[in-house]
Amino acid sequence: MKREGPIAVAFLSGMIVLCGYFFKAKPIIDLAAQIVRWRIIVAAFALALGGVNMFRLHGRVVVEKRKNWPYSAIFIIAFVAYFILGVTKSPTSAQYMYIWQNVYQPAASTMYSFTLFYMTSACWRAFRIRNWQAGVMMVTGVVVLLGQVGLGSAISPFIPKFAGWIVANPNAAAIRAITIGGSLGMVMMSMRVILGLERTYMAGGND
Amino acid sequence: MQLKQTRVIWLVLVVIVLLPLIKPLGLPLGPSPETEAAYQFIDKLPSRSITIMDLSIAPSSEGELWPMALAIGRHHMAKGHRVIVTTFIPDGVMYAEKLKEVAEKEFGYKYGVDILVLPYRAGGETALVALADNIRQAYDRDQYGRSLSELPMWQDITKIEDIALVSCYTAGDDHLWLARHVWAKHKVPCLGGVIALSAPEAIVYFQNGQLVGLISGVKGAAYYESKIGKPGLAVQSMDAQSLGHAYLLFLMIAGNIVFWTSKRRNLEKRPAGGD
Amino acid sequence: MSTDPKVWLAALMSIGIYSYLYKENPIFRVCEHLYLGLSLAHLAVMGWTNVRDLGFKELGKGNVLVLIPMVLGVLLFMRFSPKNSWLSRYSLAYLMGVAGAVTITGVIDAGIISQIRGAITPLTSLDSVVALICNVTAITVFFFIIGSTSKTQQGKNWWFERLIRWSSTVGRFVLMISFGAVFGTTIMARLGLFIPRLRFLLGDWIHLIPSVK
């Protein structure tokens, strides 16, 4: 039951959805649609997994008063209070949105904007042309980079046109090749999951 | 020493990006055929057409995606299209609220008649499949818990084919999901609004006709803003983008010059016969 | 300078996070943990709204079948119990099985057939010839079996294998062009994150930059 049961669940759920797509029989289509809709509920539960896990970790830090425990306490207070607010009011309530817009959103945007600074450092220290492949990549990158912004047009109207040509022709051709290869890989991997040949998602449990 | 150098590089970056925000340079935008195609398609949709906007925007992609969603939303509203807003990521709910506010305040849109907000659904691609295959079964209540059957706009929708255009604004794969499940299966026109990074990949879907238009990054958003005659966040950013790009380009070239010069110098210093 | 407490709150959060660029400090760590708590709570709240609307409300209407996905959802949390963590495999199997099937139904048309159809265009212009060459050569880069046989096995298909090897060399060149194009767009994405923050801090907060809506 520890291995065979989940394999059977993956097989049945996957096969029913596939049959719903390939066979035009209403009972199968309806059952497939039901299984797809149910997945939304299971995925919704999964959204809380990360929060619960972090809550356990930080909770332990606070209870045992380990090093830097006040930060963990801040995490727990923020997590619990915001969760209660969201559940008792609504995510579109004025109070909930106030915190989202004035605390969460600025923090998140700022956190992600760090990447620009690291990229700037990388431009100075890491992007080296060491061989012809890096050279081709760099030259294309520079043309596309300039073509993206007004500066390219200001230098010469040819630059954005050439950048557009690169993106629409050689780049598109390469992306097509990657997409076809990647899609074949996705189909193969999905079939392996459905047929029970791919079981890596079962890692972590006993046995 | 290296830390000091890094801080100087960062400080110069901030100053260079800041200057054009204070005093815009007015650099030209350049062509964007994919954005033009998107504009033309929306512009030709008849008034009262129903469109879906999937605002899968998060704070991490807001800078690029919100200006384009706002510009397209404004275009839809100026043309009198009815808009259904939805999202497949948790943060998207907040941007849906913002767009609804714009519709009501700027265009006098009435909720339930001209605009509708469908709730967030977990599951990503699966949730979109549920919407595409049977929109009526996928949703029975709106974002605020109201029964959809009570809303006049919902009466005109029985299936996805009743929708004139489905557009997405995403830093993820929503545009691919649209091509897979909305266009391929139902032949409902789809439009992709993506971050600049996704553009080289998404372009093939536009070329194949799987997407009727493609808006990528701040440039696409700025182009769209100028097309609808309402320059906004993206247009204001473009000069700063230009100078920021130029600075990073300079760093790359200078870094390589320093690298190759020091490499040559090291080779010259090395004694003959050594390896 | 703004007098709106909302703007001040957002500005202090932004500055608190940016202070990390100088060096790690307690203010940054407070903001970081606050952000982490809020973001995970937001995910959990959004998950709850789905479970409430699609699960509990349906159950209230008498739809008992909805208990199946709800039980599967609860089983996910068994991961935290070392003894019963295997139970969560059922939920993962369900998530993976359906996602796999949905992927198959989507990519066969959009990712394979449409892409091949898109690649086959009449050779009426130089662009279409370039696109065809780039396409074929880029595909051969992923031919890991043909062209990789050792010298001792060579013989029968020597010319063919040589052609594939030559083609994949050109294909690598094409792929580098594509990666260069992706790289060229990366900077815009990163600046696109930073400029709005700068505009907020120096515009909405300090009023140095004109505000745009």
Side-chain angles (χ1 to χ4, degrees), chain B residues 7 10 18 21 60 63-64 90-91 93 120-122 140 180-181 196-197 208 210 232-233 236-237 241 245 252, chain C residues 21-22 42-43 46 50 54 61 102 106-107 110 114-115 118 183 185-186 188-189 191-193 199 202 209-210 212:
Chain B
R7 282 179 188 154
W10 289 353
L18 178 63
L21 288 175
S60 57
E64 289 187 273
D91 288 329
V93 174
Y120 157 73
R121 286 282 182 258
D140 64 345
R180 287 175 193 167
H181 303 291
L197 192 59
N208 295 345
Q210 293 163 290
L233 300 162
Q236 198 200 32
S237 301
Q241 282 272 359
H245 276 70
M252 259 189 290
Chain C
L21 289 175
Y22 185 71
H42 181 59
L43 282 182
M46 297 315 293
N50 275 240
L54 303 173
K61 285 183 204 165
V102 163
V107 298
S114 294
Q115 301 307 330
F183 166 67
T185 55
T186 310
M188 174 166 273
L191 277 161
L193 292 169
R199 190 166 44 205
L202 301 171
I209 303 167
V212 179

Side-chain angles (χ1 to χ4, degrees), chain B residues 74 222 224-236, chain C residues 212-213:
Chain B
R74 278 176 170 152
Y224 212 99
E225 281 177 357
S226 53
K227 282 296 284 186
I228 61 167
K230 197 159 174 41
L233 300 162
V235 167
Q236 198 200 32
Chain C
V212 179
K213 291 244 183 258

